[in-house]
């Protein structure tokens, strides 16, 4: 029997899809691509935006139309946040939320045996523990993702995720070390620690993010990266301990969302641009030449031309090594959706273009610092043009021309030039 998966959303969703794939593979299923013929269809949903909800419904119906006799599973954040809407989708034979990922095979086999339709969406319990799960890695990948935290209680005005993911739950540090050690033994050189609100790690188990980083470092992988962090997580105590971890990459993704203090206040972010700049200054002092990447939302309700200009100026001041720029997307059920001053699509598109162009300049300026230097690169894949692509510890894309098979190999590269898509060099 065959099972096909389609995953929307973040790295946490991707990790949880691995867990579900393992569950079905252990039950005897072969995992096939989402456009293949299959006996089981699984759509792991995202609900960050209304567009995510639409794509979830569209993909489920498309896959079911192609495989009308298959058992269709709709799971994930959309289901957890909107169980009634999800339960009303006729194409779904199994409707389940964000819990019990390892038990997906049991649900599927029960549905096949009983020819029934099942809904299994439970609410979060107070002080419930982190759900035990351990991924065995992604076939053919050089970088593994390891979920160490779930849940968020920040309630930013634009975000529905606290309602779909519940309170903060953290993976015990011993389990972090064990999972990463197993991945190293499988041949992985790099792992990324991810969570719904990674900065909140440990608040429920009397631990801290620094404890998690040290636990990951003990596993002995060549590289450990951290997922998205709040600038408020960058304390002197965190930096002092993190800087002693030899495997931690000098690359930090700090979530900005806006460089304007008034916009951040409307978003209910708990920092201001000065807090962010101080965090970056501390990181650059402790990790020279570190990469600082971020996310920015433009066109948030009430964002004036002046506020957007403040955001542009702040992005230029920081000099990010990479920025993901998103237009604000109204999400029903959030406070921001009802705010006055909604911005037109045309204005949002213009702002995305302007900020993206600016951040491309800061990115290339960061890359140019390394021309003439030698950097360690973990190679991932051969591109269609025949070049090998990999990443430095700072998360700079690097390309070399060679006939060698470099998949999963760490090699030093002399950086020779900067081009629009990355740095080019020679082994």
């Amino acid at each position: 029997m065959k099972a096909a998966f389609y995953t929307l959303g973040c790295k946490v969703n991707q990790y949880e899809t691995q867990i579900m794939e393992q569950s079905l593979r252990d039950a005897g299923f072969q995992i096939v691509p989402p456009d293949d013929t299959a006996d089981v269809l699984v759509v792991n949903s995202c609900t960050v935006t209304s567009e995510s909800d639409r794509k979830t419904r569209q993909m489920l119906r498309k896959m079911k139309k192609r495989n009308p006799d298959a058992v269709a599973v709709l799971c994930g954040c959309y289901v957890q946040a909107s169980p009634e809407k999800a339960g009303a989708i006729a194409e779904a034979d199994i409707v389940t939320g964000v819990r019990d990922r390892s038990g997906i095979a049991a649900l599927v086999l029960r549905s096949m045996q009983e020819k029934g339709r099942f809904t299994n969406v439970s609410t979060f319990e107070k002080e419930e523990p982190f759900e035990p799960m351990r991924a065995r890695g992604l076939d053919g990948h050089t970088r593994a993702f390891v979920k160490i935290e779930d849940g968020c209680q920040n309630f930013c005005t634009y975000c529905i995720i606290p309602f779909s993911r519940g309170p903060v739950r953290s993976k015990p540090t011993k389990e972090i070390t064990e999972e990463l050690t197993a991945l190293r033994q499988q041949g992985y050189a790099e792992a990324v620690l991810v969570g719904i609100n990674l900065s909140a790690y440990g608040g429920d188990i009397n631990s801290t993010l620094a404890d998690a980083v040290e636990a990951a470092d003990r596993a002995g992988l060549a590289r450990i990266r951290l997922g998205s962090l709040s600038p408020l997580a960058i304390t002197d105590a965190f930096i002092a301990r993190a800087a002693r971890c030899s495997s931690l990459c000098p690359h930090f993704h700090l979530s900005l969302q806006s460089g304007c203090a008034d916009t951040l206040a409307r978003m209910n972010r708990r920092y201001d641009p000065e807090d962010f700049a101080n965090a970056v200054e501390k990181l650059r002092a402790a990790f020279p030449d570190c990469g600082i990447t971020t996310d920015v939302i433009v066109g948030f309700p009430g964002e004036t031309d002046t506020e957007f200009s403040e955001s542009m100026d702040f992005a230029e001041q920081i000099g990010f090594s990479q920025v993901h720029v998103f237009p604000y997307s109204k999400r029903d059920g959030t406070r921001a959706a009802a705010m006055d001053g909604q911005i037109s699509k045309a204005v949002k598109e213009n702002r995305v273009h302007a900020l993206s162009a600016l951040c491309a300049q800061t990115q290339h300026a960061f890359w140019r610092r390394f021309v003439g230097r030698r950097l360690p690169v973990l190679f991932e894949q051969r591109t269609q043009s025949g070049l090998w692509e990999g990443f430095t510890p700072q998360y700079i894309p690097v390309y070399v021309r060679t006939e060698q098979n470099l998949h999963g190999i760490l090699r030093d590269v002399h950086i020779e030039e900067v081009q629009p898509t990355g740095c080019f060099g020679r082994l």
Side-chain angles (χ1 to χ4, degrees):
M1 294 187 292
K2 297 179 180 179
F5 283 79
Y6 189 88
T7 305
L8 296 101
C10 65
K11 297 295 189 294
V12 170
N13 263 19
Q14 293 177 32
Y15 175 89
E16 291 173 348
T17 289
Q18 293 178 59
I19 301 298
M20 292 188 286
E21 287 181 354
Q22 289 170 191
S23 175
L24 286 169
R25 192 178 284 116
D26 291 345
F29 288 84
Q30 176 189 353
I31 307 302
V32 297
D35 56 354
D36 206 343
T37 301
D39 305 286
V40 176
L41 316 170
V42 182
V43 175
N44 190 6
S45 65
C46 173
T47 194
V48 167
T49 66
S50 298
E51 178 64 11
S52 302
D53 292 352
R54 187 193 68 79
K55 287 182 178 179
T56 292
R57 296 188 294 266
Q58 179 187 54
M59 182 52 60
L60 181 71
R61 288 165 178 153
K62 181 179 179 180
M63 293 174 73
K64 184 70 171 180
K65 185 176 181 180
R66 191 187 303 121
N67 300 272
D69 297 325
V71 172
V73 181
L74 176 59
C75 63
C77 292
Y78 171 61
V79 178
Q80 195 71 40
S82 307
E84 292 184 1
K85 290 181 180 179
I89 299 175
E91 289 83 358
D93 301 296
I94 298 173
V95 179
T96 185
V98 298
R99 278 207 180 85
D100 195 20
R101 299 305 183 136
S102 300
I104 193 71
L107 277 176
V108 167
L109 294 172
R110 179 185 169 195
S111 178
M112 287 180 159
Q113 183 177 7
E114 299 180 15
K115 307 296 183 184
R117 190 172 192 270
F118 303 106
T119 299
N120 181 31
V121 186
S122 55
T123 58
F124 295 103
E125 301 294 333
K126 190 175 182 180
E127 298 182 356
E128 68 177 80
F130 186 89
E131 180 184 333
M133 58 180 76
R134 181 178 296 183
R136 297 195 289 262
L138 284 167
D139 292 342
H141 287 241
T142 59
R143 185 187 305 121
F145 295 98
V146 175
K147 174 185 162 186
I148 68 167
E149 186 276 340
D150 206 340
C152 181
Q153 295 163 286
N154 285 346
F155 293 97
C156 298
T157 58
Y158 55 83
C159 186
I160 199 73
I161 294 304
F163 301 99
S164 65
R165 284 288 179 168
V168 169
R169 289 98 69 202
S170 307
K171 178 175 287 186
T173 54
K174 182 180 179 216
E175 294 180 19
I176 294 174
T177 304
E178 290 172 350
E179 184 168 358
L180 288 168
T181 299
L183 289 168
R184 175 180 57 78
Q185 291 169 346
Q186 292 176 50
Y188 284 87
E190 181 176 314
V192 186
L193 306 185
V194 299
I196 296 298
N197 180 13
L198 189 62
S199 301
Y201 174 87
D204 57 321
I205 59 171
N206 193 30
S207 189
T208 68
L209 183 61
D211 293 323
V213 173
E214 289 174 347
D217 190 55
R218 287 194 291 271
L221 274 80
R223 292 182 178 179
I224 296 294
R225 291 189 195 275
L226 295 175
S228 180
L229 298 174
S230 164
L232 298 179
I234 309 303
T235 63
D236 292 336
F238 170 78
I239 289 177
R241 294 173 63 185
R244 293 195 293 266
C245 296
S246 60
S247 63
L248 182 64
C249 287
H251 163 226
F252 300 93
H253 188 91
L254 302 185
S255 182
L256 175 61
Q257 307 308 355
S258 175
C260 169
D262 289 341
T263 306
L264 288 172
R266 291 197 302 278
M267 291 178 170
N268 196 35
R269 303 295 285 181
R270 303 184 183 193
Y271 53 84
D272 60 24
E274 184 178 356
D275 294 325
F276 193 99
N278 287 339
V280 172
E281 183 180 359
K282 290 178 179 180
L283 286 171
R284 286 175 171 163
F287 300 89
D289 285 331
C290 63
I292 304 291
T293 59
T294 197
D295 305 302
V296 177
I297 298 171
V298 301
F300 189 76
E303 184 184 63
T304 64
D305 289 342
T306 300
E307 289 180 342
F308 176 65
S309 293
E310 287 182 31
S311 213
M312 289 272 288
D313 291 345
F314 188 74
E316 186 173 23
Q317 171 194 331
I318 295 298
F320 292 104
S321 59
Q322 185 181 35
V323 180
H324 296 122
V325 183
F326 302 94
Y328 166 73
S329 178
K330 185 186 290 188
R331 181 62 176 83
D332 293 341
T334 63
R335 283 181 284 164
M339 285 181 176
D340 294 333
Q342 299 289 330
I343 308 298
S344 71
K345 181 179 179 181
V347 169
K348 287 189 283 190
E349 288 177 348
N350 287 338
R351 290 179 180 175
V352 167
H353 178 76
L355 184 57
S356 297
L358 170 68
C359 293
Q361 295 176 19
T362 66
Q363 181 182 58
H364 292 156
F366 179 75
W367 291 351
R368 283 194 291 272
R369 293 189 205 174
F370 299 92
V371 173
R373 292 165 60 177
R374 186 170 67 179
L375 297 176
V377 175
L378 176 59
F379 286 95
E380 298 192 354
Q381 62 182 348
R382 190 189 292 275
T383 67
Q384 291 183 343
S385 60
L387 298 171
W388 272 97
E389 177 187 30
F391 290 85
T392 72
Q394 297 84 359
Y395 207 64
I396 301 171
V398 172
Y399 301 89
V400 301
R401 189 174 299 281
T402 179
E403 296 303 316
Q404 301 176 49
N405 181 355
L406 296 180
H407 178 75
I409 303 296
L410 265 168
R411 289 286 300 273
D412 282 348
V413 175
H414 180 79
I415 306 300
E416 296 180 321
E417 63 176 317
V418 169
Q419 294 195 9
T421 58
C423 291
F424 283 71
R426 55 181 168 80
L427 296 175

